[in-house]
Amino acid sequence: MPVTIKSAEEIELMRESCRLLAQVHNELGNAIRPGMSTMDIDILGDSLIRKMGCIPNFKNYNGYPASICTSVNNEVVHGIPSKKRILEEGDIISLDAGLIYKGYHSDAARTHAVGQISPEAQKLIDVTRQSFFEGIKKAKAGNHLHDISNAIDAYVSQFGYGIVRDLVGHGIGRKLHEAPEIPNFAQKRKGIKLCAGMTLAIEPMINMGRADVCWLDDDWTVVTEDDSLSAHYENTILITDGEPEILTL
């Protein structure tokens, strides 16, 4: 499947979709506190997206039952919100969300502290976030896709963390998941050449322990195999002729 190059008009629609999603993430991040359920977060996120006149793109995507993925502690991605899952002081939670604005998708993820967390957990969150920024230093027209992957790996590996290999980033636009797939770990091949007008969702998923993950019986929730904490950070970006534009910040 070829990688789509967005027109100027499409880029403007993507910008607005991503700007709105950034607002949703900011409000969700400010709302997180001990004692709330992951379902509370989903209800709030769904309401915010719909009030903007947009559609939550995760809801019913391949059968996923919610609008916001809520992944707590050892859950890597795709945690399903529940009234029974109550956030406690010291937890970390990754929120992955997206929306559709006038037919165009946005996608972003953030990992948040619930109250006071351990220095080790905070470091994992910080390294995961910074690995995204290390990666997009290479996200320039004329570079190759796997320059991004290799930069993320080079940064994360020095901390001894596990880089999830079973899940990757992706292109995005009129569909939530478009070509190309974007690994967060080092690649031997160069990958495609990056061109202005590509819109990509770059999303490092980093475990405090080993890289290995497994799926729970709900067929959605991905957890670390060694029960270690996991963090996730994602933005939708635009490749330009100069520096990449982070659309969801």
Side-chain angles (χ1 to χ4, degrees):
M1 194 164 65
V3 179
T4 61
I5 304 296
K6 308 302 187 291
S7 68
E9 183 183 1
E10 287 179 306
I11 288 167
E12 281 310 309
L13 291 168
M14 291 284 295
R15 276 200 184 102
E16 185 61 12
S17 180
C18 290
R19 186 186 71 80
L20 293 170
L21 180 60
Q23 286 184 12
V24 172
H25 266 295
N26 287 343
E27 295 211 33
L28 290 177
N30 290 335
I32 288 171
R33 65 187 188 282
M36 76 188 305
S37 73
T38 54
M39 181 64 79
D40 293 332
I41 296 169
D42 183 59
I43 291 168
L44 175 60
D46 185 272
S47 170
L48 289 168
I49 290 168
R50 293 184 192 279
K51 278 180 185 170
M52 292 169 166
C54 299
I55 300 165
N57 52 10
F58 290 4
K59 188 81 178 245
N60 301 319
Y61 183 78
N62 292 338
Y64 184 76
S67 297
I68 312 293
C69 294
T70 57
S71 306
V72 183
N73 294 335
N74 69 328
E75 296 170 354
V76 181
V77 285
H78 306 158
I80 298 175
S82 167
K83 290 177 185 172
K84 296 177 183 175
R85 190 68 189 264
I86 307 298
L87 297 181
E88 297 178 7
E89 185 91 15
D91 285 342
I92 65 172
I93 180 168
S94 299
L95 305 182
D96 193 356
L99 58 81
I100 307 168
Y101 170 81
K102 294 187 178 177
Y104 284 83
H105 290 260
S106 50
D107 190 5
R110 309 278 186 263
T111 301
H112 299 279
V114 181
Q116 289 290 112
I117 62 172
S118 70
E120 294 80 11
Q122 187 61 54
K123 183 180 175 187
L124 175 68
I125 292 173
D126 293 344
V127 168
T128 302
R129 183 179 187 277
Q130 186 59 34
S131 73
F132 163 86
F133 289 98
E134 295 298 321
I136 68 161
K137 288 176 183 176
K138 302 293 186 180
K140 297 179 182 178
N143 281 357
H144 287 83
L145 183 70
H146 294 161
D147 293 334
I148 300 172
S149 309
N150 296 347
I152 293 170
D153 188 311
Y155 179 75
V156 172
S157 294
Q158 63 187 322
F159 297 95
Y161 295 147
I163 303 169
V164 175
R165 302 175 84 87
D166 296 56
L167 300 145
V168 295
H170 51 92
I172 185 170
R174 289 192 70 86
K175 294 179 180 173
L176 175 56
H177 292 110
E178 298 184 351
E181 290 193 342
I182 308 164
N184 299 301
F185 47 95
Q187 302 291 303
K188 287 181 179 162
R189 295 182 177 180
K190 286 183 171 184
I192 60 164
K193 188 173 271 194
L194 298 172
C195 302
M198 290 180 175
T199 45
L200 309 173
I202 313 285
E203 52 177 322
M205 290 155 272
I206 309 300
N207 301 341
M208 193 177 281
R210 296 197 318 271
D212 309 309
V213 299
C214 53
W215 272 252
L216 297 185
D217 289 341
D218 62 23
D219 291 334
W220 278 106
T221 309
V222 180
V223 299
T224 56
E225 212 166 78
D226 61 7
D227 211 32
S228 64
L229 294 179
S230 186
H232 183 196
Y233 187 81
E234 173 185 23
N235 283 302
T236 298
I237 71 163
L238 168 69
I239 303 296
T240 73
D241 286 321
E243 294 300 315
E245 186 179 336
I246 306 173
L247 301 177
T248 43
L249 271 187

